[in-house]
Amino acid sequence: MIKQVGETTIHPKHKASCHCGSVVLELDLPNGIENPRRCDCSICRRKGAIVASVKLSGIKILQGEDKLRLYQFNTHTAKHYFCNVCGIYTHHQRRSNPEEYGFNAGCLEGVNHPADRKTIA
């Protein structure tokens, strides 16, 4: 469980948003960021997001529900959501555990990933 990222404390109720701010979520993170990972499924490999998990009840859409679009493929079990204005993936209902959402850790308020700025050789 991660409770601090750089200078940012991860709060039990933490906001997340897409790039343009049209979509704002509130995440229930009482234990901090849990199970962070880079998924290697075909879509996650391409988007490169670091995801973490919350229970289905752990995401509340505060703003922009009308801006979220659903993308499904293959088995149509997973439900991937993205902002239809800026295109940023915010969260998905997981295929491997449909009782959880995965969320884009890069969308967390105040979180920056400076190590990702390194040039890939």
Side-chain angles (χ1 to χ4, degrees), residues 23-97:
V23 176
V24 179
L25 310 172
E26 181 181 74
L27 302 171
D28 188 14
L29 303 175
N31 300 315
I33 299 170
E34 296 188 71
N35 194 18
R37 64 206 175 277
R38 283 199 193 263
C39 177
D40 66 354
C41 81
S42 62
I43 190 169
C44 290
R45 227 178 26 251
R46 286 167 174 81
K47 68 185 168 202
I50 297 171
V51 299
S53 298
V54 295
K55 294 180 181 177
L56 288 183
S57 61
I59 288 184
K60 181 179 178 183
I61 301 168
L62 300 178
Q63 176 182 307
E65 188 166 4
D66 62 323
K67 303 292 187 215
L68 285 172
R69 293 298 176 265
L70 171 64
Y71 177 69
Q72 291 181 282
F73 64 98
N74 198 12
T75 65
H76 291 261
T77 303
K79 298 176 182 176
H80 299 264
Y81 295 95
F82 63 95
C83 173
N84 75 343
V85 177
C86 65
I88 293 298
Y89 148 74
T90 55
H91 64 290
H92 70 283
Q93 186 172 0
R94 298 179 59 198
R95 180 191 55 78
S96 59
N97 186 350

